[in-house]
Amino acid sequence: MVARTPCCEEHTLKADPFAQLTLLDVQRVDAALDQLAHRSRALPEQAALAALAERRTDVAARHGQAQTEVDDLGREQRKADADVEQVKARRQRNRERIDAGLVGDPKQLQAMQHEVESLDRRISDLEDEELAVMERLEDEQNRLEALAGELAKIEADSALQLRTRDDAASAISGHETELRAERELLVADLPADLLKLYDRLREQLGGIGAGALHQGRCEGCRLDVGAADLARMATAPSDEVLRCEQCNRILVRTPESGI
């Protein structure tokens, strides 16, 4: 049970029965506004956008790593190409000298022929290394392309979720505007002390400041009102603002109150 705050003004508060019934409409509108606020905070598109942002961060990091690897391998391939071309150029010069008969010394000729053979083997080794680099580069380029495609897909999904979220938020905002306008009309003629009490109770009691007395039950806390309290309420003046002894909320009598 929620302890009631002793206040003579609350115990003796009076309000026209129609004003009390209007308070139930105000509570209905306020509950709808609270639901809309919750929906606005918990839009599934917002959660999807957060998940996509987290995924984008991960994929972007891997894309950056792949780009660095492609750049490094590109430089490595260009160096391997240059090394092969340099050795081939030396071998070509030696062959041209040998073929042109420019090396007359037999020992020098033999040494040059051995060097050509060594250069052949060196070129073969360098070309193998170059091929290995090219294969690694191709793999990394494929990975980079796949990651770029994944990033593009994330961006497209994010744009779609953003549009959907904005549409949903706009619809909620429009509904909120309508409800706030309705609330303004409802509270315009309510007694200030009744509205002040209702607003304070709503703030204290989880958004519900008033409930109907329906078939002997408080619709604010969903608990049955005791027989003695019901008997007292049955004889209370129609303009007396009743309070639930269980939850302390304003209790509004209706034709379905059961008293």
Side-chain angles (χ1 to χ4, degrees):
M1 179 187 297
V2 178
R4 294 186 61 175
T5 304
C7 177
C8 295
E9 181 184 358
E10 291 184 11
H11 285 292
T12 59
L13 188 62
K14 302 287 186 178
D16 182 83
F18 180 76
Q20 295 185 48
L21 288 171
T22 300
L23 198 61
L24 293 180
D25 288 329
V26 175
Q27 178 65 78
R28 170 185 56 79
V29 171
D30 283 340
L33 284 168
D34 288 344
Q35 291 173 355
L36 287 176
H38 174 73
R39 281 178 55 194
S40 182
R41 292 190 300 269
L43 285 173
E45 295 83 4
Q46 190 61 46
L49 282 168
L52 285 167
E54 184 176 352
R55 186 176 158 208
R56 183 192 297 111
T57 299
D58 173 65
V59 175
R62 290 188 283 127
H63 181 272
Q65 293 169 353
Q67 183 65 65
T68 299
E69 187 67 17
V70 166
D71 293 342
D72 290 344
L73 287 170
R75 285 190 293 270
E76 189 174 343
Q77 182 187 1
R78 289 191 293 274
K79 182 179 181 303
D81 290 342
D83 290 343
V84 170
E85 292 305 315
Q86 184 178 11
V87 176
K88 283 184 175 180
R90 182 175 179 81
R91 183 187 61 179
Q92 182 63 26
R93 287 196 301 271
N94 287 352
R95 282 181 173 173
E96 289 176 353
R97 292 187 65 192
I98 293 171
D99 293 342
L102 298 177
V103 184
D105 184 356
K107 289 184 178 181
Q108 186 179 3
L109 178 60
Q110 186 178 18
M112 188 170 291
Q113 289 171 338
H114 284 314
E115 183 181 11
V116 169
E117 293 173 0
S118 296
L119 290 173
D120 285 339
R121 290 192 297 270
R122 178 59 178 158
I123 289 171
S124 178
D125 292 341
L126 288 173
E127 287 178 339
D128 289 343
E129 293 174 8
E130 182 183 24
L131 180 60
V133 172
M134 290 173 62
E135 290 174 349
R136 288 168 55 201
L137 177 58
E138 183 178 4
D139 290 342
E140 284 301 318
Q141 286 173 331
N142 290 336
R143 187 166 80 97
L144 182 64
E145 184 177 349
L147 289 169
E150 191 172 352
L151 277 175
K153 178 68 164 53
I154 290 172
E155 293 299 331
D157 290 346
S158 297
L160 176 60
Q161 291 292 343
L162 187 60
R163 289 194 299 272
T164 306
R165 185 205 64 182
D166 289 348
D167 289 344
S170 178
I172 290 174
S173 179
H175 195 185
E176 284 179 337
T177 299
E178 294 173 358
L179 288 172
R180 293 191 189 283
E182 182 181 356
R183 190 183 198 278
E184 288 297 317
L185 291 174
L186 289 170
V187 304
D189 297 326
L190 286 183
D193 51 358
L194 178 64
L195 184 60
K196 180 179 179 181
L197 173 61
Y198 163 77
D199 285 337
R200 178 167 61 79
L201 291 173
R202 219 175 84 80
E203 182 178 354
Q204 293 174 349
L205 300 172
I208 302 176
L213 176 62
H214 182 78
Q215 297 299 319
R217 169 176 290 190
C218 171
E219 292 297 298
C221 61
R222 303 290 180 175
L223 294 176
D224 291 334
V225 178
D229 289 327
L230 283 176
R232 177 182 60 79
M233 293 173 183
T235 60
S238 62
D239 64 347
E240 181 179 337
V241 177
L242 304 179
R243 302 286 290 279
C244 175
E245 292 293 335
Q246 303 292 332
C247 67
N248 206 30
R249 293 179 173 91
I250 296 170
L251 202 53
V252 180
R253 285 166 283 185
T254 72
E256 292 81 30
S257 289
I259 56 174

